[in-house]
Amino acid sequence: MTVLRPHRIGWGVWADLMALHRTTGTDVIVVHHAELPVDLAHLLRHCDHRILTTHAGVQALHPPAC
């Protein structure tokens, strides 16, 4: 699941996304173009995550199908 404009969603939705990830194993991809808010950075410390800062990093994570 890809989340765009995450700065626009509330903490209840964040909690739902984390619960979805934990209970189903769904990958949640958050596209965030700025410094992470302190609360979000704290939330991420409590779950398995990766921060990708380059297009090459995203491509390595999800290579195109051939």
Side-chain angles (χ1 to χ4, degrees):
M1 170 180 288
T2 302
V3 178
L4 302 175
R5 297 184 179 185
H7 61 283
R8 299 191 57 129
I9 62 176
W11 292 110
V13 175
W14 277 112
D16 291 344
L17 288 171
M18 294 301 110
L20 176 70
H21 168 69
R22 282 192 301 270
T23 59
T24 67
T26 299
D27 287 333
V28 178
I29 299 168
V30 177
V31 179
H32 197 278
H33 298 284
E35 189 71 28
L36 292 177
V38 172
D39 291 340
L40 180 54
H42 177 74
L43 179 67
L44 290 176
R45 276 184 281 211
H46 300 285
C47 65
D48 181 29
H49 72 283
R50 283 174 255 173
I51 296 177
L52 304 171
T53 58
T54 65
H55 189 281
V58 174
Q59 284 182 316
L61 185 60
H62 297 288
C66 296

